[in-house]
Amino acid sequence: MKADLEFKYHTQANKNHESFKKETLLEYLGRFKKIIESESVGFFRLSEDTTQLKAAKKMFEKFKHKKHFVQVGIGGSALGPQALIDALKSDKKVKFSFMDNTDSEYIADLLDEVNPQEALFYIVSKSGGTAETVANFSIARNFLKKNGIKEEGLKDHFVFCTDPNSGHLRELARKEGFACLEVPSNIGGRFSVLSNVGLLPALFAGISIDDLYAGANDIKESLLTEDVEENILLQSAAHIADLYRTAQPAVNQTVFMPYSSRLKTLSHWFVQLWGESLGKIRSIDSANVGLTPIPAYGATDQHSQMQLFMEGPSDKILMILEIKNRKTDFELDSSLGMEPAQKLSPYTLNQLLEAQINGTLQALKAQKKHVIHMSISENNARNMGAMALFFESLTALMGEYLDIDPFNQPGVELGKKYAYEYLKNLS
Amino acid sequence: MKADLEFKYHTQANKNHESFKKETLLEYLGRFKKIIESESVGFFRLSEDTTQLKAAKKMFEKFKHKKHFVQVGIGGSALGPQALIDALKSDKKVKFSFMDNTDSEYIADLLDEVNPQEALFYIVSKSGGTAETVANFSIARNFLKKNGIKEEGLKDHFVFCTDPNSGHLRELARKEGFACLEVPSNIGGRFSVLSNVGLLPALFAGISIDDLYAGANDIKESLLTEDVEENILLQSAAHIADLYRTAQPAVNQTVFMPYSSRLKTLSHWFVQLWGESLGKIRSIDSANVGLTPIPAYGATDQHSQMQLFMEGPSDKILMILEIKNRKTDFELDSSLGMEPAQKLSPYTLNQLLEAQINGTLQALKAQKKHVIHMSISENNARNMGAMALFFESLTALMGEYLDIDPFNQPGVELGKKYAYEYLKNLS
């Protein structure tokens, strides 16, 4: 079954406006094509060759006896893999942990759960020098040595993932013979979920990485079609951009709300992708721009953020994701002697959730809120690959609308500089 | 050691402005006192008597042999307990799960991990009729019966937590003799973390609930003092309100960013409290108001949202929480033959994190962003109790600034109505 992401738009954007004219949309399509064809931007073409797939599978064969997979990385080097695993993990025999912070209490809790013999640490840093990741690599290595793993045995517990040519991790791998996968030079951290960064952990989780790629390929036509009315990328971008530019109040916040606990982490992956790519000082006028991403998930957040989405300022566009079919279900019929249980007893849990999504959509429409209603037939690898590529593409295209470079992150450099100065003063 | 929450304000709010005048601050203090003294609002006085503590402890004694605690609740009936447990859990023998969604795939995964004999399901619904919670209660009950628990044995696997007098859960408890704790009538779900809703799971997690209460009591003086310069509640509210009313652009988003993985869930608790309480249609002018809450945690989000916070629009105030001392630490010294590891080797992980917080704060200041820098000496129950009361108080007071009722949630009713209609049409 092919990926089958579908879109309905219920927003107050003015479809007669300039933004929705065919020539405008085609112009943006042209700009998008130029980006994804450029040498330095590789995310769109990643699924077109099998180099990464093959390398990940080969590495998996070598280490598949390991029962605890510890991803050591931060930002894009952790969020994509986490999203994939939470969404799709089927192999329950393998445990996953994420060393994605420099919080000692968290790291101590995590290592407490690690049996050194069974552990594989996957050290992921595109640059090869990310401070947090290098620190956690040191800690992991010291932990193994303290727990009986000899110097010469360390290689059985580490795989690196870094730039193919440059950087300190690559150098170390060469020098000491550590196993090492590549992140292609033209794939930035937050666009790396379908590279080896995400593929190796996906294999350990029993996820079909061929399906991830097939899903990304399935959706390409609907991102590139010149039939602009049918193009989900152009239509989505036009709604978001038009509401940002012309609505009162300006719509400058983007909520991503899948109705699924398993896709909760996908919201956090989206937050990094959208926030770090689009939150920029624009060179042309030094304006501070950005479309603040907000993570949510249903139905849970109907008892949290939904009150604000419903009655608060109309400065948000909600991308609500519905999963039409689930692999399992529960009867709500019970002999519970209470009226609300009896009211639910003719239904199943999936029907309740379906009613909640539809009730919420209807209420949001009644309040004239801005909603993009996305749906997939089921939560599977093929649709996950398609969604990854869709959001990456949308992010890249929104960079054109905002007139900024979505692929850099200059705003974190100053903090790093100050942090290193602070460290130096400690010694 | 007493709770020791400290505050520093680094914002562009104009301290000469009306909002910061002594008489204005005292007026808001008066309004706040009026709220917390009213019969219908109980959160501030909760820690002043020991009724809830005693009831929770007694219940714990009865069920403490259970090794898997499953909280069945949604919104405030799950988020507060989750935040407490993630932050402070010390008893590793007890497993925790949260049935907080109507997602069948998630519920199936969760029940897969439950050994029926060892499980205690804590059914939490203030009203006693929350659809999601009733549905999951039915499912849990069917699960136990299908797995060998006899009808007469069910009582050993359930505790309810609901309104002391009314509602369907209370009625069922009376009729069939289920164990039942009270949520006081004047405590709403999102203000319930220090009621039995959070206290019973806290006991199972090995958390001192006396310390939670002591912490809440420790901080009261600094929330009520008429020395307005020292009053952390009045100063925090004045900064937030002044920036919302007078800054360009208006500051209408509130980021909560503890530097700790263990406090990540506390951000999500904050999101519900802040979002659902303050996102409202204001009666006086039908305006859509709200201060959109944004969850974050450091240092991880320095590689995600920080780029946006640093270079994006200055429409956010960041409440950054630092933990000064941690119970553990890791040497970064290793024999790793790579330059970035050698650069870090004189330091420890806690020093690195300290440098990251300070570097980030310094960079945010340099960019003239708005920051409230909060700190606690350590992550413990006493400080958690203090922070819970601080944020609940701040939320209640911000309701005065926005001129809305922070204790209701009318905006979710319409969605519920449509959802029930949808369900009826299914049958």
Side-chain angles (χ1 to χ4, degrees), chain A residues 340-354:
Chain A
Q342 283 148 14
K343 224 163 130 187
L344 292 173
S345 71
Y347 309 108
T348 70
L349 192 64
N350 289 350
Q351 288 179 315
L352 175 58
L353 187 63
E354 187 188 324

Side-chain angles (χ1 to χ4, degrees), chain A residues 40-56:
Chain A
S40 61
V41 177
F43 77 88
F44 199 87
R45 300 187 306 273
L46 198 52
S47 54
E48 280 160 23
D49 85 52
T50 54
T51 320
Q52 296 268 306
L53 289 181
K54 280 183 192 155

Side-chain angles (χ1 to χ4, degrees), chain A residues 123-128 160-170 180-184:
Chain A
I123 314 293
V124 184
S125 165
K126 171 83 184 299
S127 70
F160 299 170
C161 185
T162 192
D163 188 89
N165 307 305
S166 65
H168 297 288
L169 265 184
R170 174 60 58 185
C180 193
L181 287 169
E182 295 185 359
V183 197

Side-chain angles (χ1 to χ4, degrees), chain B residues 99-149:
Chain B
M99 288 177 84
D100 63 351
N101 201 357
T102 42
D103 169 357
S104 60
E105 292 179 355
Y106 171 71
I107 298 298
D109 289 346
L110 189 157
L111 291 176
D112 251 9
E113 303 287 317
V114 175
N115 173 339
Q117 296 297 341
E118 294 185 343
L120 180 66
F121 291 89
Y122 190 35
I123 314 293
V124 184
S125 165
K126 171 81 184 299
S127 71
T130 313
E132 294 87 346
T133 304
V134 170
N136 280 322
F137 178 22
S138 291
I139 290 167
R141 194 165 170 275
N142 291 343
F143 166 82
L144 291 174
K145 287 173 78 177
K146 241 184 259 168
N147 287 279
I149 309 291

Side-chain angles (χ1 to χ4, degrees), chain A residues 8 14 16-17 35-36 100 128 136 151 164 202 205 253 312 337 346 359 413:
Chain A
K8 288 180 194 149
N14 181 355
N16 296 320
H17 191 275
I35 295 170
I36 60 170
D100 63 352
N136 280 322
E151 188 74 37
Q253 296 162 46
E413 294 310 318

Side-chain angles (χ1 to χ4, degrees), chain B residues 107-288:
Chain B
I107 298 298
D109 289 346
L110 189 157
L111 291 176
D112 251 9
E113 303 287 317
V114 175
N115 173 339
Q117 296 297 341
E118 294 185 343
L120 180 66
F121 291 89
Y122 190 35
I123 314 293
V124 184
S125 165
K126 171 81 184 299
S127 71
T130 313
E132 294 87 346
T133 304
V134 170
N136 280 322
F137 178 22
S138 291
I139 290 167
R141 194 165 170 275
N142 291 343
F143 166 82
L144 291 174
K145 287 173 78 177
K146 241 184 259 168
N147 287 279
I149 309 291
K150 297 246 165 63
E151 188 74 36
E152 60 275 18
L154 286 172
K155 282 191 208 47
D156 300 335
H157 295 274
F158 288 104
V159 176
F160 298 171
C161 185
T162 191
D163 187 89
N165 307 305
S166 64
H168 297 287
L169 264 185
R170 173 60 59 184
E171 216 174 286
L172 188 68
R174 276 195 201 118
K175 204 167 56 184
E176 303 193 2
F178 281 97
C180 192
L181 287 168
E182 297 184 359
V183 198
S185 301
N186 59 8
I187 299 288
R190 54 190 183 270
F191 291 83
S192 71
V193 58
L194 300 180
S195 77
N196 281 318
V197 172
L199 296 178
L200 187 64
L203 285 167
F204 276 86
I207 299 167
S208 162
I209 62 174
D210 293 305
D211 279 0
L212 288 175
Y213 270 40
N217 290 326
D218 287 343
I219 206 176
K220 280 184 185 164
E221 200 189 317
S222 61
L223 303 177
L224 294 176
T225 177
E226 295 189 1
D227 181 350
V228 297
E229 290 290 329
E230 295 300 312
N231 187 313
I232 56 176
L233 175 64
L234 297 179
Q235 289 295 324
S236 300
H239 278 272
I240 296 168
D242 188 60
L243 292 167
Y244 175 63
R245 290 168 171 175
T246 69
Q248 277 302 336
V251 175
N252 59 9
Q253 296 162 45
T254 318
V255 178
F256 179 47
M257 186 173 183
Y259 268 70
S260 159
S261 290
R262 284 187 153 204
L263 300 191
K264 185 176 168 179
T265 327
L266 189 66
S267 293
H268 293 277
W269 169 80
F270 167 77
V271 163
Q272 192 224 8
L273 178 65
W274 200 250
E276 200 170 44
S277 300
L278 302 178
K280 298 282 157 74
I281 295 175
R282 183 161 56 200
S283 349
I284 198 173
D285 59 358
S286 301
N288 300 97

